[in-house]
Amino acid sequence: NPNYTGAWTLMGHEYVELKNTPAAMEAYRQAADISPKDYRAWYGLGQAYEILSMPLYALYYYKKACAVRSYDARMWSAVAGCYLVLGKRREAVLSYERALQDDTEGIATTQLAKLYQEDGMQDEAAQCFIQHLQLRYLATTVHPSGTPTLNDIVQGVVVQATEASALLFLAHYYQNLQKQGTSFLDTAALCASRLLEYPGPEKEEGKAVLREIRSRSSQTVEMNM
């Protein structure tokens, strides 16, 4: 059936796998012509133009996909990625923030956290990293009871690359956080301790944080004696 959108879209995907980008683009265009409301065709065109290193065109088609599927974090994250390549950082942040409203998989959380971190917005970065860890925790926990606490999340999340980066940031963040005279060293230590299970460079950085916390705690005890 030459008017079956799904067939053209699947053909586009296959051509992408075969690294035949022009053929993929033609298939996606056929799908978009038949069904302009099919976000997959617009999204596929955006990806094809990204492969060709043509971010302005990719952005145009990703925006088309957003117009059809405005509640999909993947669409907004794709738009944000193009804005970053084009040097439009503010627009990228706004797009990631929009993606965050519907992000149930942690697609935009770490990217936005890194941008906040680079901009010196440490509190906002911490909230994004916490949201990411919570999403990953809920995705791998069978029937979590009630709303998990931060300790539940940190203790229960499966630590992979993005989670390790989030935990390392939070370890440093809580190590230096003081609110109304309250210390958060226990939370920092918990985040750092989870890094001891991870075989990357974050493991050594986690050890360094724990040593600093122990040293600081010893000094506090000596001052109170």
Side-chain angles (χ1 to χ4, degrees), residues 168 171-172 192 195 200-211:
L168 181 59
H172 287 297
L195 294 172
E202 293 86 355
K203 180 176 181 177
E204 295 305 314
E205 294 187 64
K207 288 180 180 179
V209 171
L210 289 170
R211 285 195 297 269

Side-chain angles (χ1 to χ4, degrees), residues 185 211-225:
L185 291 182
R211 285 195 297 269
E212 174 62 27
I213 290 172
R214 282 195 293 269
S215 173
R216 193 183 300 182
S217 297
S218 298
Q219 292 174 6
T220 301
V221 170
E222 290 175 1
M223 290 175 60
N224 292 334
M225 290 180 64

Side-chain angles (χ1 to χ4, degrees), residues 102-145:
D102 301 294
D103 191 359
T104 59
E105 301 175 18
I107 296 169
T109 46
T110 54
Q111 294 299 324
L112 184 56
K114 290 173 184 175
L115 291 176
Y116 281 149
Q117 188 178 357
E118 291 169 4
D119 291 341
M121 301 169 66
Q122 302 302 307
D123 292 342
E124 290 81 358
Q127 289 306 309
C128 280
F129 278 129
I130 290 170
Q131 182 173 340
H132 174 78
L133 293 177
Q134 181 175 359
L135 289 169
R136 303 316 306 150
Y137 168 77
L138 293 173
T140 57
T141 303
V142 179
H143 303 299
S145 57

Side-chain angles (χ1 to χ4, degrees), residues 50-113:
E50 270 201 290
I51 291 170
L52 296 175
S53 299
M54 301 174 72
L56 198 59
Y57 286 94
L59 177 62
Y60 173 81
Y61 287 109
Y62 282 144
K63 283 185 173 182
K64 286 272 196 180
C66 276
V68 176
R69 197 176 173 88
S70 61
Y71 55 87
D72 195 326
R74 292 173 301 167
M75 308 299 115
W76 288 104
S77 293
V79 167
C82 287
Y83 276 132
L84 280 179
V85 173
L86 293 167
K88 297 186 176 183
R89 187 184 183 87
R90 179 57 184 160
E91 289 85 348
V93 169
L94 290 172
S95 297
Y96 277 129
E97 288 175 343
R98 177 60 184 82
L100 213 61
Q101 297 176 26
D102 301 294
D103 191 359
T104 59
E105 301 175 18
I107 296 169
T109 46
T110 54
Q111 294 299 324
L112 184 56

Side-chain angles (χ1 to χ4, degrees), residues 22-37:
M25 293 168 69
E26 181 58 32
Y28 288 135
R29 287 188 196 282
Q30 289 284 355
D33 287 343
I34 295 166
S35 180
K37 293 296 184 182

